Structures are given as structure tokens and as C-alpha cells.
Amino acid sequence: MDVFFYLLLGFFDIFTIMIFTFCMFRFPASDYLREFCLIAGVASSASFVNRMVLEMPIIDPGIQFVLITLFMRFMLQFRSYEATLVSAVGYLGYTGGQFLIFPLLYELGVTSLADLTELTGWGISITQVLSDLLVLGVSLLVKRLHLGFSFVPQPPHSFTISQKPNKLEQIMVAGVSFGVISLLSVVYLMAVAQEKTVYLLLVIFVPIMFLLWLLRKREQYA
């Protein structure tokens, strides 16, 4: 039963990331629900193998990000740069939602620091469910208010046109790298810290804000 709930919650985590990503870039998410389900199923299964079979949870965030990027590139047919960019926005945005929910639940006494390293259980499950609801709510708000970014064309992209990244796009690549490395660093520090671990969660908002600022600059440039 624990395995079933782990896979189910993992499925909805990835599904939520895909919905959030497409809403943030003004793509019609409802047109891709079948693809989202396949991506979520594969990514959730991979997470189960990483965490429960191999017992290497620290590598899971990086592998999840790589899987989403590869699906964006080869299944949904984004160009490599755009696949990496939109995946980073979706993954970091969802992670930001999780890292906002957990400290709030921690302060309310609903969760404990031990839940950060648990694979199943009430604490981590309620964090995932509330994070999914929060991010889906933000996605709906972004869609209803016509927010988000429009400079990335809807896939499938043309791979016959070679475009040289401009200076701003090169900075955005650095911003994406900074965001992903920051996320992985926070996960590592959470794994080795003895106490005050919950405050490390707030670090992830620094690269998120930086990346959103770069995206807004790119939108204005377009």
C-alpha cells in the first residue's frame, strides 16, 4: 500500500509540474493531458527506483529534472534550449511551492524535520498534496489572468532553423544552471544537516526570483 501511495503522489507531483509549466508559458495544457500522464507515470516510477530500490534519494531531484527535460525535447518536441528553460521554470516553481508549504506545516506542528527524509507517511504526504493544490491554484490564476510568458513558441518546434542565443539568453542559461545547482545543493545540505534544516528550504527562492526576473526581461525584449 505504501508503494501504491508513493507512486500515486509522485504521479500527481509530476503532472502538476507539467500543468504549471504549460500555464506559465501560455501553452494549452488541456491539449497535452495524455502526454502529461505518460511523463508523470515514467517519472514517478523512476523516483520509486531511485528512492526505494537503490536507496539513493539524494540523486532523485536531478534525475527527475533530466527526465522532464528529455521528455520536453523528444516527446513534446521543444528545441534543446527551450526544453531546458521551461523544465527549469516548472520544476523550480513546483519545488518553491513545496518549500513554502513545508515550513508553514512545520511551524504549525503538523510536520517534523524527520519528515524531510521520510519516503512515505502523513507528514510528507500532506506536504505533497497541499503543494500540488497550491501550484495548481497558481496555474489556474496565471491562466485566468493571462499572465506568464509568451516568447517561447508552442511545440512542435522547427529544428531546421538554427538560432544563435543572444546575450540575454546566454545569461538565462546561466540562471537556469544556477537554479538547478542551488536546488540540488539544498537537497544535499538537507540530507547532511543536523538541525535548523527547515531554514535551508528558503534558499531555493533566491534562484527562483532571479530566474523569474530574467524571464520578465526576455519577455520585454521579445
Side-chain angles (χ1 to χ4, degrees):
M1 188 61 70
D2 285 345
V3 172
F4 172 76
F5 279 112
Y6 182 89
L7 291 172
L8 182 64
L9 290 173
F11 176 92
F12 282 112
D13 287 348
I14 302 299
F15 189 86
T16 298
I17 290 173
M18 300 304 299
I19 293 290
F20 174 73
T21 302
F22 272 53
C23 287
M24 284 296 293
F25 286 93
R26 301 184 186 179
F27 304 139
S30 59
D31 292 349
Y32 297 88
L33 296 181
R34 182 180 300 177
E35 289 85 352
F36 291 174
C37 288
L38 177 59
I39 295 169
V42 172
S44 177
S45 300
S47 179
F48 171 78
V49 172
N50 294 333
R51 293 175 178 268
M52 290 192 170
V53 178
L54 300 179
E55 297 183 351
M56 299 178 66
I58 198 169
I59 70 171
D60 191 50
I63 290 179
Q64 293 289 299
F65 174 73
V66 170
L67 278 176
I68 292 173
T69 303
L70 290 175
F71 274 115
M72 289 286 193
R73 172 63 181 84
F74 294 104
M75 174 182 283
L76 300 178
Q77 298 184 40
F78 283 84
R79 288 179 299 191
S80 298
Y81 165 72
E82 284 84 357
T84 305
L85 176 64
V86 300
S87 298
V89 171
Y91 198 72
L92 290 173
Y94 176 79
T95 304
Q98 273 195 323
F99 287 3
L100 179 64
I101 290 293
F102 186 86
L104 292 176
L105 295 177
Y106 176 78
E107 293 297 330
L108 293 173
V110 177
T111 58
S112 65
L113 293 180
D115 292 320
L116 288 171
T117 56
E118 293 294 330
L119 301 180
T120 59
W122 166 256
I124 192 62
S125 296
I126 192 64
T127 300
Q128 288 180 264
V129 170
L130 291 180
S131 298
D132 290 344
L133 293 176
L134 172 64
V135 175
L136 286 174
V138 171
S139 302
L140 179 61
L141 187 64
V142 167
K143 182 177 177 61
R144 289 288 177 88
L145 298 180
H146 303 288
L147 301 176
F149 310 102
S150 59
F151 63 88
V152 177
Q154 182 179 340
H157 293 169
S158 172
F159 299 102
T160 61
I161 302 175
S162 178
Q163 292 183 335
K164 184 178 180 180
N166 57 41
K167 185 175 181 179
L168 180 55
E169 289 176 336
Q170 291 173 349
I171 295 174
M172 290 179 66
V173 170
V176 168
S177 301
F178 173 57
V180 174
I181 291 171
S182 297
L183 170 62
L184 300 180
S185 298
V186 169
V187 171
Y188 173 76
L189 291 171
M190 286 166 52
V192 300
Q194 296 297 318
E195 56 186 24
K196 305 297 183 183
T197 309
V198 70
Y199 301 110
L200 292 170
L201 303 178
L202 302 178
V203 176
I204 197 61
F205 288 99
V206 176
I208 290 175
M209 293 299 104
F210 178 56
L211 184 55
L212 288 176
W213 178 77
L214 288 174
L215 290 169
R216 183 55 59 192
K217 295 286 286 184
R218 178 63 179 82
E219 184 79 356
Q220 293 171 351
Y221 178 80

